[in-house]
């Protein structure tokens, strides 16, 4: 399975934060996970609340573990709330099923990791994540 | 208490995966638990998301621990969400109350284990599980 | 990163169990994890105690998460017991630092997963795991 | 309370990784925590084992939560193992009491955060952390 490099993870984070500054969003926190759901890189902007790591990780973790974007998880949660609650139990409460958890795919469509962004509204978090991933030449599945 | 053999567990998994391929379903993951809710055998097809073990186990675990199929658990969750949430607390979050968790019974109707299938829609997961169990000469209670 | 296929995982399990039968070992349980520490396949032989999944998983999980075989983990635990205890806290108690947790490498030396075997003595578990991995044409790092 | 900025956290990580490359160490993982023990930034080099985030975090977390470097924690663990085990219980298993967890102080001696490094021997991890912190114009208390 292809795997995201640190160089690319770093690039995604920088471009996501730049997208946040251009859009005048609140301070963002951005995590990049590998295909096993393990942290590759993370940054939290000055002024962001201290607990943002767990929220960013939770958005990306659900995406990679279920193979399903945060937007798709939210739709499932809205249709069948107890199902996503139960999934979260099975994953020890690590899943945050809202937009901003984004699968990262390479040119062939293979999943190479996931990005989680938090700090502004979920929709703005998602827009920044997509800008960061696409700015690095990868495909965002948000 | 009758107990499912490894030979039969392996056969259920193979026939469930074959049923998935015949129906052109997404990559499936299949677990077989014994009557105590403990894992006997598991396989995750190539291309399935990494977190599928916990979902498959959660479907089968709820079935065997409550003596109630995933379909019956879902009906209970829809009628009385707080009840299934409370059950999940008691079981440390290990229950996934949707179709695809199936009790396995022998010719006399005794429970000999449970199967959990995940990867496609819950209804397709259930259909594959039933095909796998019945193809092995046992009775599916889904 | 290369990733172990279900076909190969299945082959490792079969050959490990065959090695156990040839050596007249007690009933074995064998898990294969992918490079993220997630379960790919598992089988527990008839007569093995019900809780063997967690032991097999714990041996393989420590190997893949730390990039260190069970034998190396045991040496570290014997030299510095509080360190492995602390590692286990960080991994929520999922690490079993004894022989029988084996890294699986491909022809280029890249880690493609890990195997965990339990049921007999740790040394016999390790011997069966090595036989299973090498019998499948992969390299065991035990 | 003074607080480490993202710009400085990023600089510490870069200089720690550079120090690792100069010394030809194994792939490193580096975390920077703030004065509340919360993640500010993290990077895991290519080739490092997937579970390294928890180890890096555990080294830095113990340092900041106890106000005591990893080296001092190790001495305490060797003198009184049950004490560090009890501390770890109180901190939910998040403390790794070995060298490589380093307090970061400003020019006035105030703690502004902590760094955790893992990947090579504990002593080499510590040397890289000190190089990274001092290279950024801050004081390392390792």
């Amino acid at each position: 399975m292809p795997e995201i490099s640190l160089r690319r993870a770093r690039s995604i984070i920088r471009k996501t934060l730049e997208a946040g500054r251009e859009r005048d969003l609140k301070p963002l926190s951005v995590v990049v996970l590998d295909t096993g759901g393990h942290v590759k890189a993370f940054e939290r902007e000055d002024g962001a609340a201290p607990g943002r790591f767990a929220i960013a990780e939770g958005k990306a973790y659900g995406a990679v573990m279920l193979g399903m974007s945060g937007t798709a998880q939210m739709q499932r949660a809205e249709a069948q709330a107890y199902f996503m609650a139960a999934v979260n139990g099975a994953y020890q409460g690590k899943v945050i099923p809202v937009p901003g958890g984004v699968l990262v795919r390479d040119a062939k469509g293979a999943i190479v990791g996931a990005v989680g962004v938090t700090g502004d509204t979920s929709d703005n978090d998602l827009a920044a994540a997509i800008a960061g991933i696409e700015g690095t030449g990868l495909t965002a599945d948000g």
Side-chain angles (χ1 to χ4, degrees), chain A:
Chain A
M1 198 182 297
E3 195 71 51
I4 205 156
S5 66
L6 177 55
R7 200 175 56 78
R8 278 206 145 156
R10 214 179 254 162
S11 169
I12 289 172
I13 291 176
R14 291 301 168 81
K15 288 177 191 292
T16 300
L17 296 180
E18 281 170 24
R21 290 316 106 238
E22 284 163 12
R23 287 162 170 77
D24 204 27
L25 305 187
K26 292 184 191 164
L28 298 181
S29 301
V30 187
V31 76
V32 179
L33 305 186
D34 67 17
T35 55
H38 303 292
V39 190
K40 187 80 187 173
F42 172 77
E43 290 190 0
R44 169 162 58 97
E45 286 194 303
D46 298 335
R52 288 288 169 183
F53 173 78
I55 308 300
E57 189 191 24
K59 288 186 178 190
Y61 188 76
V64 77
M65 290 298 276
L66 290 162
M68 194 189 296
S69 70
T71 304
Q73 290 174 60
M74 185 177 72
Q75 288 163 352
R76 184 75 188 260
E78 286 177 348
Q80 211 176 3
Y82 63 85
F83 174 76
M84 282 310 297
V87 164
N88 229 337
Y91 292 150
Q92 286 85 44
K94 284 187 66 177
V95 173
I96 309 282
V98 296
V102 184
L103 290 166
V104 183
R105 296 181 186 275
D106 66 14
K108 293 175 183 164
I111 295 171
V112 297
V115 170
V117 178
T118 182
D120 205 283
T121 67
S122 292
D123 287 345
N124 284 340
D125 294 341
L126 171 59
I130 290 174
I133 295 165
E134 294 185 345
T136 307
L138 292 158
T139 302
D141 174 0

